[in-house]
Amino acid sequence: MSATVEASVVVAGASWPESDVDTITPVTGFVVSTFNPLVAEVANRCMSGYDGEIVPERTAIVLASVNGDVTSADAVADAVATGARVAPLLFFQSNPNAVLGHIAARWGLAGPVVCTSPTGDPMADAVVCAELLFAAGEADAALVITAEVAGGSDRAEAVLVMARERA
């Protein structure tokens, strides 16, 4: 993939699902919800699809999701409402930075980590955020991810973008 956007160039991309029988690889430590494994899956596909040279160390990760991990939020709310014990892992995974830390460690990314909940187009919002990081000199590349879980119609997209002057 080599499309261009304002101040950046898309150098790799991936989406989920790719077919009606596509699966998500489980991620140890994440329970109940598919949100975090979905984010990790699309990030891994995108990074694996990058055929350039070395990914810059200062690669940011930007996650945009309108609703976030509603499954985990609902599980915690249900447990609180019924007086049940809340699974400790739900506290860990309710912060989207948890899965982004997993991705950063997996791929050796040492740039900023940003999560947004946009009101408009999530990918457009996330790319603008990445470009602001480029303009501020905080990152040379960004793994930009969007993800939504919605009752059986989960979907995610990831693109690796580089600052235009770096690409």
Side-chain angles (χ1 to χ4, degrees), residues 32-129:
V32 178
S33 174
T34 59
F35 183 82
N36 291 297
L38 176 62
V39 170
E41 181 73 27
V42 76
N44 288 339
R45 289 178 184 191
C46 181
M47 295 301 290
S48 295
Y50 175 60
D51 61 0
E53 293 181 23
I54 298 170
V55 175
E57 182 178 316
R58 290 183 340 130
T59 297
I61 305 173
V62 180
L63 171 63
S65 178
V66 173
N67 297 307
D69 186 357
V70 293
T71 307
S72 292
D74 289 348
V76 170
D78 290 346
V80 170
T82 62
R85 180 178 175 272
V86 177
L89 285 177
L90 289 178
F91 291 107
F92 161 76
Q93 79 181 30
S94 66
N95 180 338
N97 286 349
V99 73
L100 300 184
H102 168 81
I103 294 165
R106 162 96 167 75
W107 292 98
L109 308 179
V113 172
V114 179
C115 299
T116 69
S117 182
T119 57
D121 175 27
M123 184 55 77
D125 180 82
V127 169
V128 166
C129 185

